[in-house]
Amino acid sequence: MHFLRQPVSWFRALPAPSRIYYSLLTLAAAACTLYLAAGPKPWEKGIGPRLETGKSVGIREYIVSGEYWAAAINLALSLLLLGAGRWLLAPAPAACSAPLTPSKSPSKEGPSARIVSMALAAAVALSAWINAPLLTQSLWGDEEFTMRKHIVGEVARDPSTGELALEDLSWQTTLWLYKNPNNHIFFTILSRLSHSLVPKITAPDRPYFSEFALRLPAYLAGIAAVWACGYFLCSLGHRRAALLAPFLLAVHPWFIRYSAQARGYSLVLLFQLICLILLVRCLQSGRWKWWMLYAWAQFLLFYTNPATLYFILTLNAAALLLILTTGRAFLVRRWIVAGVTSAMAVIQMMAPCLLPFQAWLQRPRAQGAPGLSWIRDTLGYLATGIPWSPWEQNNPLAHSLFGMAHGHSAFMGFLALLAMVALLLGVWHLARRAPWRWLLLPLLLPAPLTVLHNTLAGNLLYHWYLIGSVPAVVMLWALGAEFSSRAARDPSTRSQAFLGVGLTLGILFFTITRQQRRIERTKPVEPNRESVLLTREIINPFDPRIDDVMTVGFHMFTIGYDPALRRVRTFPEFTGVLREADDAGKPLHVNLAQPGMARIHFPEIMATLENSQYFTWVETLHGLHDPCTRYVYRYRPDSYPAE
């Protein structure tokens, strides 16, 4: 074993970060080599053989092909990093080892750290209180889909017994089923773990899943994002702005809606802010631990939602510019290591998702282009959580800025001008701060890059794809308020001026958004549970009385809340269910959304449904999106003629 003495001695002499670096990369290379040698081969059990035999490709084949080629790529990257280790791990020059401090730092001015901490705690508590009602609201369509397909599983009838039973849901499905981007994978993992702690639900008026448990990880991430918003500003020395921005974020209606949804958007908000905080730490200290945390934060951000790619690209562009403009070029090496290791984790965990996602992008429903009205509404959402135009006529919940401006156009114009001026002042305030001005790239560019790229690619965009820019808006407003107070000469006067400006801005924002905030807290995005309860008192599929009432669905139905629903696709199937209800003497209901689209795809069924001779309208339950308003009808027994 004499041949091992020299490398062992060399390894022991290395500093701790270098030993960790070589150990982890050697393990990664060994694991990839072992998988490539002993794991399933894509040419044997992957996508190719399935397509050659004319069979459909399932999740198993995507995993085999994706993981194999991911292991091959990561083996090459591991060996590359190991080979370049001497250069990448070179110690910092003595002249560059001092911590980075921003020029013209205002950190010595403003409120004390204790006051800022108390304000952050108050903002977090406010957010927790505001968002709490959302935990138990009805799931809307995308949440329900994620619950059924990736987290809890679907309830279906056993063909042999006719009883409803919960189907097994594999972890492969949770981790790699990506036929559409509804699976925000890291959130899905956390939500599944949270829901696994819930005992079997047996209450007859409860669904088989817990909305509270599904949303709890998102809720916690949302209130943590409020804290991170203030902490990031503090890390830059903007303590006054850190007093205002978290409160603006906590009461922002759009933040409220998505900070507790059973989706990954609140994690996106949190991880984006954490990435910004860690980048500042990386530049301030240069230590390896911050760079590795920065790498993992980027991975978790992308693993939650790949649409954050635009933020990650602009963030790393800012990181490189910060490094090069502060005379700390040696940090480029650590930036490279952080970026490559983060990419390796993404490649290994998400390679099986790539081909299904590409196939989804080719579908007609994933294609479209935003117009000027879309951009105008999105700007309204980002600024106030309220669109410019009402998204549905005759819906009392379709609050809009246009409606608010009716009769108050001068005042609303003044507020719009004030918001724009505050934003521009915030941009100017940060732009004057060397070197942190480069952080404007990830704050300002992700939203327009998202719109530009998807417009050129012809991909359909929803307004909420830009939710990640809401913290940037409120932080720049707060920075604008801080800048406006700097006209005062002494610090105490500046604090008083900021207090006046901040309170004015906060009160105006709170007042303008009050009605929308009340709607978000008290109304579900889509009243799925409420609409099903209009059709049957018992919605728990494990209750033997679930089949005492019949429901039939053909368009935009809710399987999660009504697993006993009979699904039909043709008019003869629909009329067959009507006759079956007559023969059994059971009540029958129809619960749907988007009747306009249903009239196009199911004209005969809709003509029958809207004929008062056969059906009675029960109630219209308004939602918070155009496709989320539910319409409930009850069948008139024995009204449809027999064959």
Side-chain angles (χ1 to χ4, degrees):
M1 303 296 288
H2 294 285
F3 66 92
L4 291 177
R5 289 181 179 177
Q6 185 173 357
V8 169
S9 299
W10 168 81
F11 184 78
R12 288 178 176 175
L14 292 173
S18 298
R19 291 199 300 270
I20 295 173
Y21 176 91
Y22 284 114
S23 298
L24 291 178
L25 286 174
T26 301
L27 286 173
C32 291
T33 302
L34 181 62
Y35 186 86
L36 292 173
K41 307 299 187 289
W43 53 86
E44 296 175 355
K45 300 181 179 181
I47 298 172
R50 297 285 294 185
L51 294 177
E52 291 174 2
T53 58
K55 298 179 181 179
S56 62
V57 179
I59 187 173
R60 171 67 178 170
E61 289 73 39
Y62 284 122
I63 293 173
V64 169
S65 295
E67 289 301 303
Y68 183 89
W69 296 116
I73 295 171
N74 280 338
L75 175 59
L77 291 175
S78 299
L79 295 176
L80 183 63
L81 290 178
L82 285 170
R86 185 180 296 273
W87 177 73
L88 292 171
L89 295 170
C96 298
S97 59
L100 175 67
T101 55
S103 62
K104 301 180 182 179
S105 172
S107 59
K108 295 181 181 180
E109 296 183 7
S112 65
R114 181 180 179 183
I115 292 177
V116 173
S117 297
M118 293 172 61
L120 288 180
V124 167
L126 176 64
S127 180
W129 174 75
I130 290 175
N131 297 345
L134 280 69
L135 282 167
T136 54
Q137 286 182 357
S138 171
L139 301 182
W140 77 287
D142 283 0
E143 292 177 292
E144 187 211 45
F145 180 90
T146 303
M147 179 278 298
R148 290 189 291 110
K149 296 296 185 180
H150 304 287
I151 300 175
V152 180
E154 291 193 85
V155 169
R157 289 196 184 274
D158 187 325
S160 59
T161 64
E163 295 181 354
L164 293 168
L166 181 63
E167 298 178 338
D168 292 332
L169 185 72
S170 70
W171 273 97
Q172 286 185 346
T173 301
T174 298
L175 296 173
W176 289 297
L177 182 62
Y178 212 76
K179 292 184 177 180
N180 65 47
N182 271 338
N183 186 9
H184 297 170
I185 301 176
F186 186 61
F187 166 78
T188 303
I189 294 170
L190 297 178
S191 187
R192 181 165 182 174
L193 293 173
S194 172
H195 200 276
S196 67
L197 303 176
V198 177
K200 183 177 180 179
I201 299 173
T202 58
D205 60 344
R206 295 270 309 279
Y208 68 95
F209 52 87
S210 167
E211 295 100 337
F212 181 94
L214 290 169
R215 289 186 171 126
L216 184 60
Y219 171 78
L220 295 176
I223 59 177
V226 172
W227 169 86
C229 174
Y231 189 87
F232 168 63
L233 291 171
C234 280
S235 69
L236 298 180
H238 295 286
R239 291 186 177 179
R240 291 193 182 96
L243 295 178
L244 177 60
F247 285 97
L248 293 178
L249 185 61
V251 300
H252 196 294
W254 225 31
F255 171 78
I256 293 169
R257 177 181 298 187
Y258 292 103
S259 64
Q261 275 196 12
R263 309 291 305 287
Y265 295 117
S266 62
L267 287 174
V268 165
L269 298 172
L270 175 61
F271 285 133
Q272 285 188 170
L273 290 165
I274 287 177
C275 283
L276 289 167
I277 292 169
L278 290 174
L279 178 58
V280 172
R281 288 290 188 186
C282 289
L283 270 293
Q284 288 175 338
S285 73
R287 296 180 64 181
W288 273 107
K289 71 173 185 178
W290 296 116
W291 284 106
M292 290 300 97
L293 289 173
Y294 175 68
W296 277 104
Q298 289 183 88
F299 161 66
L300 292 175
L301 175 61
F302 190 87
Y303 194 42
T304 300
N305 190 348
T308 56
L309 175 64
Y310 310 96
F311 174 83
I312 293 172
L313 291 176
T314 55
L315 177 74
N316 280 284
L320 186 59
L321 290 168
L322 280 164
I323 291 169
L324 297 178
T325 56
T326 54
R328 297 162 70 84
F330 74 96
L331 288 179
V332 169
R333 306 170 187 181
R334 301 182 183 185
W335 173 73
I336 291 173
V337 173
V340 174
T341 53
S342 179
M344 288 173 64
V346 168
I347 291 169
Q348 198 65 54
M349 294 304 298
M350 298 197 71
C353 305
L354 179 60
L355 289 178
F357 180 61
Q358 287 180 328
W360 181 83
L361 287 176
Q362 303 305 316
R363 298 173 60 184
R365 64 173 298 184
Q367 298 172 4
L372 291 178
S373 61
W374 185 93
I375 294 174
R376 185 175 56 193
D377 286 340
T378 300
L379 291 175
Y381 279 122
L382 288 173
T384 63
I386 308 169
W388 171 253
S389 304
W391 40 264
E392 188 177 56
Q393 299 299 323
N394 302 318
N395 185 335
L397 305 181
H399 196 38
S400 69
L401 293 174
F402 179 81
M404 295 172 63
H406 183 69
H408 306 87
S409 56
F411 180 64
M412 292 297 293
F414 166 74
L415 291 179
L417 179 63
L418 180 63
M420 182 60 68
V421 169
L423 187 74
L424 292 176
L425 287 177
V427 171
W428 175 248
H429 190 29
L430 192 56
R432 295 173 66 248
R433 296 278 316 287
W436 304 120
R437 60 171 64 99
W438 297 115
L439 293 176
L440 286 169
L441 297 180
L443 292 178
L444 293 176
L445 292 185
L449 286 177
T450 300
V451 175
L452 176 62
H453 176 236
N454 285 278
T455 300
L456 295 176
N459 297 330
L460 182 64
L461 273 177
Y462 291 102
H463 301 292
W464 56 86
Y465 287 2
L466 304 184
I467 184 66
S469 295
V470 169
V473 171
V474 299
M475 287 191 294
L476 290 172
W477 278 345
L479 286 169
E482 182 181 87
F483 179 77
S484 65
S485 68
R486 293 180 65 81
R489 294 184 178 181
D490 61 280
S492 61
T493 307
R494 287 180 182 176
S495 296
Q496 294 173 3
F498 175 77
L499 182 63
V501 174
L503 281 175
T504 301
L505 184 62
I507 291 172
L508 285 173
F509 184 77
F510 185 86
T511 303
I512 291 297
T513 59
R514 179 177 55 187
Q515 182 177 350
Q516 187 65 34
R517 188 165 46 253
R518 179 186 58 81
I519 291 173
E520 301 291 351
R521 297 186 71 231
T522 58
K523 302 294 182 181
V525 173
E526 184 173 8
N528 281 317
R529 184 182 63 222
E530 293 80 359
S531 63
V532 172
L533 284 170
L534 289 175
T535 68
R536 55 173 80 242
E537 295 180 357
I538 297 169
I539 63 174
N540 192 306
F542 309 125
D543 192 297
R545 298 167 295 173
I546 187 72
D547 288 322
D548 290 350
V549 173
M550 295 179 63
T551 51
V552 59
F554 59 94
H555 180 76
M556 296 294 287
F557 41 78
T558 169
I559 290 295
Y561 285 100
D562 192 5
L565 174 139
R566 298 282 298 274
R567 284 173 273 190
V568 300
R569 301 297 299 172
T570 65
F571 184 63
E573 290 177 343
F574 180 74
T575 56
V577 175
L578 301 186
R579 295 188 180 100
E580 185 179 334
D582 287 336
D583 293 341
K586 294 181 179 180
L588 184 142
H589 291 80
V590 175
N591 177 6
L592 79 158
Q594 288 188 298
M597 184 181 294
R599 294 185 191 102
I600 297 173
H601 296 287
F602 305 95
E604 291 181 293
I605 297 179
M606 285 300 296
T608 303
L609 182 65
E610 295 179 323
N611 189 331
S612 60
Q613 179 181 350
Y614 307 123
F615 280 87
T616 301
W617 169 79
V618 176
E619 191 169 344
T620 298
L621 300 176
H622 295 288
L624 303 186
H625 285 312
D626 184 30
C628 294
T629 294
R630 309 295 306 179
Y631 300 84
V632 180
Y633 294 85
R634 181 173 59 249
Y635 173 60
R636 294 178 180 273
D638 300 315
S639 63
Y640 198 80
E643 290 182 323

